[in-house]
Amino acid sequence: MEQNKPKKQNKQKRERSGPERLARMYAGIVIGALALGGVLLLVLPQKKYSPSENRYLTKRPKITAEGIFSGEVQRDLTEAASDQFPLRDRWMQIATTSQFLLFHREINGVYIGRDHTLFNKVTDSDLSEKNYRANLGYVTAMAAETTGDVSVMLVPSPATLQQEKLPTHGVIYDSEPYETLGVSLCEADSVRFVQTGGELARHLRKNEKLYFSTDHHWTTNGAYIGASVYLGAQDRSIAPQADFGVETVREDFYGTIYSKVAGLGLIRPEALALPRALPEGLTIETDGPPADAPGVNGEKSMPKLTGIYDESKLDGKDKYAVYFGGNYGRLTIKNPSAGEGGSLLMFKDSFANSMVPYLLDNYAQITMIDLRYYNESVPALVSEGWDEILICYEMSNFINDRNLVKLIR
């Protein structure tokens, strides 16, 4: 019996050595990959911009004693290691695909819903009713200082009208209390609160595609409905959408929400269409290049517009920027064929960009102001005299926006 003991112990040691060897091999591979990545991070050229994420990347910082003691160098090094890691986009795609295959339906603040529709996750806790009340107060205070007709139109967030497409246990904010409060606060001060949700919902029930599946914006069909509702509230008419010559210009559109899930391979591209039959002789005036467009060597340049479109954007990542080439602090469109059509001043986010083509026939001048980038006096601008003033935002953007205070400064 005693003679068999060493053999049994040796057998157990051999059995343990197999898993241990695999564990050591795995650890060696991981450490080696990280070490190789670290070396490549130091020797490979640094990328300035990520087209897939539509943002500038953090580059390796200059090492200074002041930066080390302040913690800035360490922070920038951490961000640069993440942004500049070799094959970063591929690793991110693998990570998000793995999460999806493990039945995760919320990745990086994005819901992956039915039919692979993507939604930004916005819950009640993400929104500030206090800020919403303040923003509506700035609007009504501005309206008191003008003789122009003032309206607020807050476009419903895609998920609030398509809750049946949310994943199981997906939660979205309740928009109805904000609609009710908006009507109450605005109309008490003679500001029109234009509601588009009912009309959008009616068309969605017909299975019309009014919002993109990979982007937070509405499609040109949704924008047409929004324009119809606004013009109807102004007792203005709009031609049938067929008269605008809507044409599919790309079949490979991916929006900004898609970038947040790092190119999840299961998500298919979609069509981007534009209204082509627009008034002739349009002129565009801006306060400079698009404020949100990436520059070359720190310099931004004016896009080459064909009418209101920057066709070059159709070949890039941010195809929605085909409208005007991006967002400006101030952009004015003049339409000589509108005659005495009047003037419209819009304070807006990017949702308004795709709606403007459907408004052009009705106005001799439309001026669009993006308060994120506009730093001139808004009261002075408003005092110039406008037939109509429209505040047009996606609802959750408006609720949390911190720039609307400029309306009274």
Side-chain angles (χ1 to χ4, degrees), residues 41 58 61 71-84:
L41 187 64
T58 302
E72 184 177 347
V73 167
Q74 295 90 321
R75 182 174 61 252
D76 288 348
L77 278 172
T78 301
E79 293 178 2
S82 174
D83 281 2
Q84 301 291 337

Side-chain angles (χ1 to χ4, degrees), residues 375-396:
N375 295 310
E376 303 297 323
S377 169
V378 174
L381 175 65
V382 170
S383 69
E384 292 178 10
W386 303 87
D387 296 302
E388 298 170 24
I389 298 176
L390 171 62
I391 289 82
C392 179
Y393 283 71
E394 186 269 334
M395 176 168 276
S396 65

Side-chain angles (χ1 to χ4, degrees), residues 15-222:
E15 288 175 349
R16 286 197 303 269
S17 66
E20 287 174 358
R21 277 200 302 269
L22 288 174
R24 285 195 294 269
M25 287 175 59
Y26 177 76
I29 291 170
V30 170
I31 293 170
L34 291 174
L36 178 61
V39 172
L40 293 176
L41 187 64
L42 294 174
V43 299
L44 290 178
Q46 297 186 83
K47 295 181 180 179
K48 294 181 179 180
Y49 186 75
S50 170
S52 64
E53 297 174 84
N54 194 31
R55 71 178 182 88
Y56 288 98
L57 301 175
T58 302
K59 299 173 71 174
R60 291 192 301 271
K62 292 183 179 179
I63 309 297
T64 64
E66 181 181 355
I68 292 173
F69 286 115
S70 69
E72 184 177 347
V73 167
Q74 295 90 321
R75 182 174 61 252
D76 288 348
L77 278 172
T78 301
E79 293 178 2
S82 174
D83 281 2
Q84 301 291 337
F85 197 84
L87 300 176
R88 177 175 180 272
D89 291 346
R90 180 63 63 187
W91 286 114
M92 291 174 64
Q93 187 177 40
I94 292 171
T96 53
T97 301
S98 300
Q99 289 180 70
F100 182 84
L101 294 176
L102 290 171
F103 302 101
H104 290 265
R105 293 300 179 265
E106 180 195 334
I107 301 174
N108 296 331
V110 171
Y111 286 133
I112 304 171
R114 290 168 177 78
D115 302 324
H116 291 166
T117 303
L118 305 180
F119 299 105
N120 280 324
K121 179 185 177 182
V122 184
T123 66
D124 287 310
S125 62
D126 297 317
L127 303 178
S128 168
E129 181 183 326
K130 179 181 178 182
N131 198 68
Y132 181 57
R133 287 176 176 272
N135 285 343
L136 292 174
Y138 302 141
V139 173
T140 56
M142 177 201 68
E145 301 300 321
T146 180
T147 57
D149 181 278
V150 180
S151 301
V152 173
M153 190 170 86
L154 304 183
V155 181
S157 306
T160 62
L161 294 184
Q162 301 178 95
Q163 296 193 37
E164 74 283 355
K165 289 191 174 184
L166 286 171
T168 305
H169 307 305
V171 178
I172 199 70
Y173 75 95
D174 185 359
S175 62
E176 187 173 342
Y178 291 102
E179 291 270 0
T180 302
L181 182 59
V183 171
S184 174
L185 294 179
C186 285
E187 297 192 352
D189 287 300
S190 301
V191 172
R192 182 184 294 105
F193 193 89
V194 180
Q195 295 176 281
T196 60
E199 191 65 10
L200 288 167
R202 186 173 72 84
H203 284 266
L204 283 169
R205 287 194 291 272
K206 298 178 183 179
N207 293 320
E208 296 181 23
K209 190 171 180 60
L210 305 185
Y211 295 94
F212 290 109
S213 297
T214 65
D215 194 77
H216 64 288
H217 292 110
W218 50 9
T219 65
T220 192
N221 295 334

